[in-house]
Amino acid sequence: MTEARGSTGLNGTTHARHTPGTPCWVSLMVHGMAATQEFYGQLFGWEFRPGPQQLGPYVRALLDGHEVAGIGQLPPDRHLPIAWTPYLASDDVDVTAETVRHSGGTVGVGPLDAGEAGRMAIASDPTGAVFGIWQAAAHLGTGITGVPGTPAWNELVTRDTDSVVKFYQGVFGYELEPTVSADFDYVTLHIEGHPVAGVHGVGNALPRDRGPHWLTYFEVADVDDAARHVVELGGHLLKSAHDSPYGWVATVADPEGAMFSLIHTDRREP
């Protein structure tokens, strides 16, 4: 779905500083941190260590010693949707946040410092889809990709692509590659010729209780087995495993309702 950057080792692709606009991290805010860590630890083999506490209790998930995702504690009085949030890299989060505001988006949190890790903001596009902005310092973001248990792709699910792609292009400078199809509304976002994220217009199929939202795909070795494991661990199967142009995919939700997709990417040579 996206080309790997960085130096490739035996266990996947490790990453240096991410190019601005590239999804560089994913984070989840939940009510039950202990239960959530147990769920994802069992599903993906993650281990956890404390991270910056500026927004409350927060841990970073590690896979073979590499940081891959974050999980934080929602305050009891905050009744926000439980959802995975992608963070898009920025060289200056304050400038990017101001551009978001001038482009019709909203900045809900920050910009603020996350200790020595970096500087962040949480924003939403004009349709209401939430995303993060990350200016790296000590914490560069996701440390490894391309192996099971790591983020593989991020996709904005919205009503139609025309209503929002210009916003992201204006804020992050993406090159747009629409899919030429009468019945498939999809735009791939590129940076320097590399695909980094997608925008999928689903029209009236967009869930009314969700609205436009970002969806994170996680790499797994076997989608069917992983989907069954999700259910065994108390999660839910939302869309059964099926073939796609990028590999075998299923959409699931964790016990608190956070949606994500499981994918085994098709790595065969064309």
Side-chain angles (χ1 to χ4, degrees):
M1 311 264 273
T2 181
E3 295 188 22
R5 304 269 186 100
S7 58
T8 303
L10 292 176
N11 296 320
T13 301
T14 55
H15 292 266
R17 185 173 295 274
H18 292 78
T19 304
T22 305
C24 61
W25 188 244
V26 290
S27 191
L28 175 65
M29 300 294 285
V30 298
H31 296 293
M33 278 190 67
T36 299
Q37 289 175 69
E38 177 71 16
F39 172 85
Y40 287 101
Q42 291 286 328
L43 181 62
F44 293 138
W46 291 350
E47 298 176 335
F48 300 92
R49 69 180 176 204
Q53 309 288 305
Q54 274 70 15
L55 298 179
Y58 186 82
V59 295
R60 290 184 182 145
L62 283 78
L63 189 67
D64 295 329
H66 298 282
E67 295 176 341
V68 294
I71 297 174
Q73 175 78 56
L74 269 175
D77 58 340
R78 298 292 295 275
H79 300 288
L80 299 173
I82 308 298
W84 281 101
T85 300
Y87 280 72
L88 308 176
S90 170
D91 283 341
D92 190 324
V93 68
D94 294 81
V95 170
T96 302
E98 194 61 27
T99 305
V100 165
R101 293 189 187 97
H102 288 157
S103 302
T106 303
V107 178
V109 176
L112 55 85
D113 289 326
E116 297 178 353
R119 190 162 170 79
M120 60 160 286
I122 299 175
S124 57
D125 66 30
T127 71
V130 176
F131 62 94
I133 307 165
W134 183 253
Q135 178 183 336
H139 174 64
L140 298 177
T142 302
I144 187 171
T145 58
V147 296
T150 61
W153 187 247
N154 287 281
E155 185 173 278
L156 174 63
V157 182
T158 189
R159 288 185 178 83
D160 63 271
T161 59
D162 286 346
S163 63
V164 75
V165 290
K166 296 299 187 196
F167 166 82
Y168 287 98
Q169 184 181 42
V171 174
F172 294 104
Y174 296 125
E175 304 140 20
L176 309 179
E177 183 186 336
T179 297
V180 180
S181 173
D183 56 0
F184 188 56
D185 182 16
Y186 201 94
V187 176
T188 305
L189 307 179
H190 290 249
I191 293 176
E192 299 173 356
H194 297 277
V196 296
V199 182
H200 188 190
V202 298
N204 292 330
L206 187 72
R208 291 187 178 182
D209 60 339
R210 287 279 305 166
H213 59 277
W214 280 90
L215 179 69
T216 296
Y217 290 67
F218 290 96
E219 183 77 26
V220 293
D222 187 307
V223 171
D224 297 273
D225 282 350
R228 281 192 292 269
H229 202 186
V230 165
V231 175
E232 291 166 357
L233 293 169
H236 307 278
L237 179 62
L238 303 179
K239 188 172 183 180
S240 298
H242 60 280
D243 201 8
S244 80
Y246 308 105
W248 205 245
V249 180
T251 302
V252 296
D254 70 18
E256 285 205 24
M259 292 173 51
F260 57 100
S261 284
L262 306 165
I263 186 166
H264 181 69
T265 51
D266 189 344
R267 299 181 184 280
R268 292 171 299 182
E269 292 297 323

